[in-house]
Amino acid sequence: MKAVTYLKQFLSLKSLFLIIGGSLVYSIGFNMFILPCNLYNGGFLGIVGYFMRNVMGLSFVTDNYIGIIYFLLNIPLMLLAIRKFGKDFLVKSAVCITSYSVLLSLVPVAKHNYLPDTITACLAGGILCGLGCGMTLMSKGSGGGEGILGLLLMHRYHNMSVGKVFNIINIFVFGSCILLYDVAAAVYSIFFAVITSVVLDKAYLPSITVTMIVITKIDLVEEVIFAAVHRGVTKIKGIGAYSGEDTNVLLTVVSKVESMKLRNLLEECDPNIFIIEYENVSVIGNFEKRL
């Protein structure tokens, strides 16, 4: 009971739904579409598989050390993450890793590829795996590995994202597979990994940077932005070209999640407000990426 009470401090029903739902979607995509094609793992699981096979001389399939090695590999990242993101992130990530482990074991592996070809399976599996990873990250936790590393680098470098980190790791993993193993399977695995990373970056809304231009005739609307998302705002005094009336032009940069929240609040503040949004803008300077 004490453990349940402790978890309730950090896990809401929404977070739990995102963690379990995301883990289930990922498990279906991986076990039903990717494993039947005998493709290689990407990310940290791919590093573990490479280490087991080439350094330790173990089988990725028959030797049950993958969970232990993956856990040990995550320890330094978790220690760095708890300093950056706090205990809330640690608890949610622990639940994420457990959920992934359980559901990957429970979801049956398809006996063969039911789709017309391997490319279609890579596309279907990549979309589901990317969506599942994005959902778990939206819970403000992580399934470990490249997810944690991506979040850490994303907060340090503005042009970095979890999907980009996943691709950088895969250059090493799949490059080694091409040199040592089946070239065709490695090429299909690269295609699967790229689809996964693209969908992941689209599904994980905090990684999408949005410029908002807000035009209103009401004063102090910027206070709504300050209070709701704690972002800086540039205020410009303008004049309506047609009406000739004084107008306030507000410029701010937020995440996709914050823009969705702000849109509703600003419309409540001024029903006649005019908002322009640009997604995936490049930002240089003092802009903090958040979970």
Side-chain angles (χ1 to χ4, degrees):
M1 287 299 294
K2 288 184 178 180
V4 174
T5 304
Y6 182 77
L7 286 175
K8 283 182 177 179
Q9 299 177 27
F10 304 100
L11 280 173
S12 63
L13 286 176
K14 179 182 177 182
S15 297
L16 198 59
F17 169 78
L18 288 170
I19 290 171
I20 296 176
S23 301
L24 179 61
V25 170
Y26 180 91
S27 300
I28 291 172
F30 194 73
N31 287 1
M32 299 299 290
F33 297 106
I34 303 306
L35 284 183
C37 297
N38 295 315
L39 301 183
Y40 301 118
N41 290 299
F44 267 46
L45 278 176
I47 294 176
V48 172
Y50 181 86
F51 183 79
M52 286 177 62
R53 182 180 294 181
N54 295 282
V55 179
M56 301 178 68
L58 301 172
S59 169
F60 190 77
V61 178
T62 58
D63 293 301
N64 296 322
Y65 296 107
I66 181 170
I68 297 173
I69 298 173
Y70 185 70
F71 177 78
L72 293 174
L73 203 60
N74 273 292
I75 289 176
L77 291 176
M78 291 296 286
L79 292 175
L80 289 172
I82 193 173
R83 292 180 59 187
K84 179 69 178 178
F85 305 125
K87 192 180 293 184
D88 177 79
F89 178 84
L90 179 66
V91 172
K92 288 179 180 177
S93 295
V95 175
C96 279
I97 293 170
T98 303
S99 182
Y100 271 119
S101 301
V102 171
L103 289 170
L104 280 169
S105 300
L106 292 179
V107 174
V109 177
K111 295 181 180 179
H112 59 86
N113 181 16
Y114 292 101
L115 295 177
D117 49 51
T118 305
I119 290 180
T120 311
C122 290
L123 186 62
I127 291 172
L128 290 175
C129 289
L131 180 60
C133 288
M135 288 175 66
T136 53
L137 287 172
M138 285 295 290
S139 73
K140 298 187 178 180
S142 170
E146 65 277 0
I148 296 177
L149 183 61
L151 289 173
L152 288 168
L153 292 177
M154 191 179 80
H155 282 72
R156 185 174 180 85
Y157 303 103
H158 297 311
N159 62 341
M160 192 59 70
S161 69
V162 178
K164 287 180 181 178
V165 172
F166 185 60
N167 280 335
I168 291 170
I169 294 173
N170 287 336
I171 290 173
F172 164 76
V173 175
F174 296 135
S176 302
C177 291
I178 288 174
L179 293 174
L180 299 174
Y181 309 117
D182 184 14
V183 175
V187 171
Y188 282 126
S189 299
I190 291 170
F191 180 64
F192 156 66
V194 170
I195 296 296
T196 300
S197 67
V198 170
V199 175
L200 169 58
D201 278 345
K202 294 295 183 183
Y204 182 48
L205 299 181
S207 69
I208 302 174
T209 308
V210 179
T211 296
M212 295 185 73
I213 300 175
V214 181
I215 302 173
T216 178
K217 295 177 183 177
I218 297 177
D219 290 329
L220 300 178
V221 172
E222 62 273 14
E223 297 294 336
V224 177
I225 301 175
F226 297 151
V229 296
H230 307 289
R231 295 290 192 185
V233 180
T234 297
K235 185 175 182 177
I236 305 169
K237 286 292 183 180
I239 300 175
Y242 180 77
S243 65
E245 297 178 355
D246 291 339
T247 301
N248 296 312
V249 181
L250 308 177
L251 175 65
T252 187
V253 180
V254 296
S255 71
K256 180 68 174 179
V257 174
E258 292 168 338
S259 73
M260 294 165 65
K261 179 181 179 181
L262 277 178
R263 206 179 301 155
N264 295 328
L265 292 173
L266 292 172
E267 286 177 351
E268 290 176 6
C269 180
D270 179 8
N272 298 315
I273 204 163
F274 189 77
I275 302 173
I276 304 171
E277 294 184 3
Y278 298 95
E279 289 190 5
N280 287 323
V281 294
S282 177
V283 181
I284 300 174
N286 187 24
F287 177 78
E288 179 188 28
K289 284 196 172 183
R290 301 166 182 166
L291 286 179

